[in-house]
Amino acid sequence: MGLLLRGGEVVDPGAGLAGKLDVRVRDGLVAQVGPGLADDGDTVVDVTGWLVVPGLIDLHAHCFIGGSDFGPRTDDVARSTGVTTWVDGGSTGAGTFEGMREWVLSRSRVRMFAFLNISAIGLMYLKVGELNHLAYADVDAAIGAGRDHRDLILGIKVRNQLEVVGDAGVEPLRRAVRAADAIGGRVMIHCTNPPVPMGELLALLRPGDIVSHFLHGRGHGILDEKGQIRREVRAARERGVLFDVAHGRMHVKFPIARAAIAQGFYPDTISSDLTMGGSAGCVKDLPTTMAKFLNLGMPLAEVVRAVTASPAKAIGREGRLGTLKPGSVADIAVFQLETGSYDFEDAHGEHMTGRQRLVPVLTLRAGEIWWRRA
């Protein structure tokens, strides 16, 4: 038969589900959600007192094992943190994507998608910016790779950071938009320490494009000289541009995050930008990143939405992933919401004491138990 998760506290903002509900899983799909469901021959898993949420979608992480210092062991990390869908944030470009597909994406059980770097070499050697030599931003090559791997590639990634683009300014972004237009995909832009004011970058983006690292503390950002969200930032959101946390080792500053949340400017999506260095440092994993925003003042339902329904919509899988709605894929994460005193660190060495954290308990991938806490 199937599985019945009994007695958990369901939180699924995308489907409007909340409260003590049972979840029945059959044939890899969510079959039924409701209170007091009969076991009907299913294997019962008691999750009383724990949070039951859709499997997490990490919209920006890195998985190219052996490429630069990127590539945490994706399945080991994902299954033990409730992540069932992982999106690579531009580790590879047209000249290197085939290798990541062959050696990582095709061999991982976590569901994988990717943004293709506009630089043909991707992020192979971070000591030298991949766009310092503008010729690497080969639009035709990116379009070819995007079409050849359309089942996995969601759009085009560009790091529009001063140290990366040098004198090229916004030209790499212009090329990324051209390539994304041609393949019908989104643009994901890295905007830490941009070479031009934030508004100039945002003006080139289209509805559905994704601004990564918008809470960084380096260079021109989302706050004006008075600490208020810039008008052009709010205008970009109003026309459909998405703002993603993408924590990483250098892209979240607590004072900026506090200011944004206090002004009601929540992240559209929360992602980890996980690398090997990030997992060993301040990032840790996606549940830790979620807990930071929970302790910064985001409501639990909005934190869950930002790692489930919202990224599912951003990758074109709304209603199938990131939800517990009957008929959806039975990717499910179970957490214990612990209370106490916990230390959290941003990317600038600032610490925050939080009162809540999320401890992974159980992960289901396509209806099967993938991981369970000992």
Side-chain angles (χ1 to χ4, degrees):
M1 298 297 286
L3 286 174
L4 182 66
L5 301 182
R6 174 169 285 167
E9 192 71 24
V10 169
V11 180
D12 179 7
L17 296 170
K20 188 172 182 178
L21 300 169
D22 301 336
V23 181
R24 191 189 310 281
V25 172
R26 287 183 178 171
D27 299 322
L29 303 176
V30 176
Q32 191 177 8
V33 180
L37 299 181
D39 61 61
D40 200 20
D42 296 318
T43 300
V44 176
V45 180
D46 186 4
V47 292
T48 300
W50 293 332
L51 293 177
V52 178
V53 305
L56 308 187
I57 300 172
D58 199 337
L59 186 63
H60 186 143
H62 291 276
C63 69
F64 196 11
I65 298 167
S68 191
D69 67 342
F70 291 156
R73 301 291 168 173
T74 51
D75 278 356
D76 290 345
V77 171
R79 66 192 182 93
S80 62
T81 57
V83 175
T84 53
T85 300
W86 185 305
V87 180
D88 184 87
S91 299
T92 55
T96 54
F97 184 82
E98 185 72 40
M100 188 172 72
R101 176 171 192 140
E102 172 65 23
W103 296 106
V104 183
L105 275 64
S106 67
R107 303 177 185 218
S108 298
R109 188 172 179 193
V110 62
R111 184 180 294 98
M112 302 282 268
F113 299 104
F115 278 83
L116 183 76
N117 203 305
I118 189 61
S119 171
I121 62 171
L123 304 178
M124 296 303 294
Y125 191 67
L126 293 181
K127 290 183 179 180
V128 179
E130 70 275 9
L131 291 166
N132 280 181
H133 182 44
L134 187 57
Y136 282 134
D138 187 331
V139 174
D140 290 338
I143 293 171
R147 289 173 175 168
D148 288 345
H149 303 281
R150 67 180 73 236
D151 58 324
L152 295 176
I153 292 176
L154 303 170
I156 304 296
K157 168 72 179 297
V158 57
R159 290 207 301 160
N160 234 101
Q161 179 174 327
L162 182 60
E163 295 88 342
V164 177
V165 300
D167 295 332
V170 298
E171 178 58 21
L173 174 55
R174 294 184 188 277
R175 296 188 185 190
V177 172
R178 283 163 48 199
D181 275 340
I183 65 172
R186 299 174 184 250
V187 168
M188 176 183 281
I189 178 174
H190 166 127
C191 66
T192 300
N193 196 25
V196 296
M198 178 72 80
E200 294 185 32
L201 298 180
L202 297 176
L204 296 173
L205 300 181
R206 311 152 308 157
D209 288 342
I210 301 165
V211 178
S212 286
H213 321 308
F214 77 103
L215 299 171
H216 69 78
R218 299 180 58 211
H220 202 268
I222 64 167
L223 302 181
D224 63 19
E225 61 279 358
K226 295 181 179 179
Q228 300 299 301
I229 301 292
R230 297 181 187 277
R231 286 179 298 173
E232 55 267 39
V233 172
R234 290 194 181 277
R237 168 167 281 178
E238 288 171 4
R239 61 186 175 84
V241 174
L242 304 178
F243 289 82
D244 178 47
V245 169
H247 190 307
R249 290 168 288 181
M250 56 193 302
H251 306 302
V252 167
K253 189 174 178 68
F254 283 155
I256 295 173
R258 286 192 190 96
I261 290 170
Q263 295 172 52
F265 198 87
Y266 295 164
D268 291 297
T269 52
I270 296 174
S271 63
S272 67
D273 187 20
L274 198 64
T275 60
M276 291 175 67
S279 63
C282 65
V283 184
K284 303 293 189 294
D285 50 42
L286 187 54
T288 300
T289 305
M290 293 165 63
K292 291 179 184 182
F293 284 85
L294 185 61
N295 286 289
L296 283 165
M298 276 184 72
L300 176 62
E302 293 308 310
V303 171
V304 173
R305 185 192 305 275
V307 292
T308 57
S310 293
K313 184 176 181 180
I315 64 174
R317 271 71 181 176
E318 184 179 16
R320 180 161 176 79
L321 303 179
T323 180
L324 300 177
K325 180 180 178 180
S328 64
V329 176
D331 289 352
I332 303 174
V334 179
F335 293 95
Q336 182 176 359
L337 182 60
E338 289 190 346
T339 58
S341 181
Y342 310 107
D343 180 68
F344 297 99
E345 182 182 4
D346 72 3
H348 293 259
E350 179 172 325
H351 290 258
M352 168 183 67
T353 299
R355 300 302 176 190
Q356 295 178 302
R357 69 177 180 181
L358 292 159
V359 179
V361 174
L362 182 71
T363 305
L364 270 65
R365 171 71 174 86
E368 297 182 0
I369 294 178
W370 190 20
W371 176 88
R372 178 181 280 173
R373 186 173 67 184

